[in-house]
């Protein structure tokens, strides 16, 4: 499936490790919402999981104008706090996927060809390597706020 929309909303994370599943959960909620209120035709959502981000960020498509990444980010706030980051603001060493692949550099490279923003939530619990399904309550409660930010960003 080509990722050839102008705006790509990418949920990153692993649903097996508690709050790390925030990105995929936001994409699921956004997809459910779009059944009643469709997203603009130039917008695509993508659950990139954990291995996907490196692949997606490293292979930009010529049609991309904006990428909105949804993920956990450890920025020292209260768990469940949402913050929008530019690529340059991402805390060093605090933004890697669960396989310890640094994603800052691919995002910096990608920001040279399209606008990139990260909608990050402060996690409460990452269970890896233990499998624990489900988000903590405070991170689950942050999903509507993340969706509100995303919809405002894509002007819906």
């Amino acid at each position: 499936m080509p990722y050839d929309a102008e705006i790509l909303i990418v949920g990153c994370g692993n649903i097996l490790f508690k709050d790390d599943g925030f990105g995929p959960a936001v994409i699921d909620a956004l997809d459910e919402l779009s059944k009643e209120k469709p997203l603009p035709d130039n917008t695509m959502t993508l659950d990139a999981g954990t291995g996907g981000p490196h692949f997606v960020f490293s292979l930009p498509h010529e049609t991309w104008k904006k990428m909105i990444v949804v993920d956990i980010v450890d920025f020292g706030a209260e768990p469940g706090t949402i913050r929008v980051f530019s690529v340059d603001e991402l805390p060093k060493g605090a933004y890697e996927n669960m396989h310890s692949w640094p994603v800052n550099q691919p995002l910096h490279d990608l920001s040279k060809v399209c606008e990139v923003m990260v909608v990050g939530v402060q996690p409460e619990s990452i269970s890896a390597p233990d499998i624990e399904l489900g988000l903590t309550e405070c991170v689950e409660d942050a999903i509507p706020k993340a969706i509100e930010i995303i919809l405002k960003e894509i002007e819906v």
Side-chain angles (χ1 to χ4, degrees):
M1 178 163 119
Y3 307 121
D4 58 356
E6 291 179 356
I7 301 171
L8 212 58
I9 305 166
V10 181
C12 301
N14 191 330
I15 63 170
L16 299 178
F17 301 135
K18 209 73 176 161
D19 288 341
D20 193 41
F22 178 73
V26 170
I27 296 301
D28 284 347
L30 195 56
D31 287 345
E32 190 64 32
L33 179 68
S34 71
K35 291 177 182 174
E36 295 176 19
K37 187 175 182 180
L39 299 176
D41 290 339
N42 67 345
T43 303
M44 175 182 281
T45 60
L46 174 66
D47 177 354
T50 54
H54 187 77
F55 177 74
V56 171
F57 301 156
S58 301
L59 297 172
H61 195 278
E62 62 191 25
T63 60
W64 295 359
K65 292 185 178 174
K66 180 183 290 189
M67 178 176 285
I68 301 170
V69 178
V70 185
D71 203 353
I72 56 168
V73 179
D74 184 5
F75 55 101
E78 287 292 316
T81 303
I82 295 276
R83 183 173 161 202
V84 176
F85 296 89
S86 71
V87 171
D88 293 329
E89 294 177 307
L90 291 173
K92 290 187 176 180
Y95 193 59
E96 298 181 346
N97 72 19
M98 294 307 293
H99 299 285
S100 298
W101 292 345
V103 292
N104 277 356
Q105 189 57 47
L107 285 176
H108 276 273
D109 292 345
L110 183 61
S111 70
K112 295 174 185 167
V113 295
C114 73
E115 180 183 350
V116 177
M117 64 181 285
V118 176
V119 177
V121 68
Q122 176 68 47
E124 179 178 326
S125 175
I126 307 297
S127 63
D130 298 324
I131 294 174
E132 286 188 46
L133 298 175
L135 303 172
T136 59
E137 184 176 345
C138 59
V139 170
E140 177 93 33
D141 290 347
I143 291 174
K145 175 73 172 169
I147 289 175
E148 178 185 324
I149 291 168
I150 292 165
L151 293 179
K152 184 176 179 184
E153 188 62 31
I154 63 174
E155 300 175 359
V156 172

